[in-house]
Each structure stands twice: as C-alpha cells, then as structure tokens.
C-alpha cells in the first residue's frame, strides 16, 4: 500500500512547486508537508523490507537446521 501511495506526494509536490515558483500562488509549507509525507512512506517501505528480510533469514536458518539427509548420503552410510 505504501508503494502505491508514494505517487500522491510526488504528484502533489510537482503541482505545488509549480504553483509556488511559477505562478506565485502556492505556499512553501505545502511543499514541506509533501516531502514529509514522501519520507514517511519511504520509511514505512524500508521498515517493511527490513522486517521481511529478517523473517526470511529466520526461516532459512530454521530450515537449514532441520536439513533432511539426501538420498546419496543415506546410500553411502549403508555400505
């Protein structure tokens, strides 16, 4: 959801910067809050990515501890 929502602050930033710089009708606070919203969404995406990476590493470690012997290893042990 955060990745899809990042388009809103970016679009609003472009519109507000045009209004503020070219027409003189905008307000600099609007640009500040759009950047703040963009950074908040970026922080959420980064947090979700880090959380997913840690969960993946945990699952990989758990599965590597429960490693099942392979067929060629079991045949060598019986001989």
């Amino acid at each position: 959801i955060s990745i899809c929502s990042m388009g809103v602050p970016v679009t609003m930033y472009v519109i507000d910067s045009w209004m503020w710089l070219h027409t003189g009708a905008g307000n600099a606070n609007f640009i500040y809050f759009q950047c703040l919203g963009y950074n908040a969404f970026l922080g959420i995406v980064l947090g979700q990515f880090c959380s997913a990476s840690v969960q993946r590493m945990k699952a990989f470690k758990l599965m590597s501890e429960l490693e099942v012997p392979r067929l060629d290893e079991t045949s060598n042990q019986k001989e």
Side-chain angles (χ1 to χ4, degrees):
I1 293 175
S2 293
I3 292 176
C4 297
S5 301
M6 287 176 67
V8 174
V10 170
T11 305
M12 292 302 293
Y13 177 78
V14 171
I15 292 170
D16 287 338
S17 65
W18 175 78
M19 284 180 60
W20 182 50
L21 295 175
H22 295 289
T23 63
N27 190 348
N29 291 333
F30 294 142
I31 294 175
Y32 170 77
F33 286 113
Q34 295 308 319
C35 288
L36 190 66
Y38 175 76
N39 287 327
F41 285 133
L42 200 59
I44 292 169
V45 169
L46 182 64
Q48 290 175 348
F49 176 77
C50 290
S51 173
S53 296
V54 168
Q55 288 177 357
R56 181 181 177 274
M57 286 173 33
K58 276 184 176 178
F60 183 72
K61 183 179 178 184
L62 201 120
M63 291 306 293
S64 66
E65 290 175 358
L66 300 173
E67 189 172 319
V68 177
R70 296 182 184 169
L71 186 60
D72 57 348
E73 292 175 1
T74 57
S75 64
N76 290 337
Q77 292 175 356
K78 290 181 182 179
E79 294 176 0

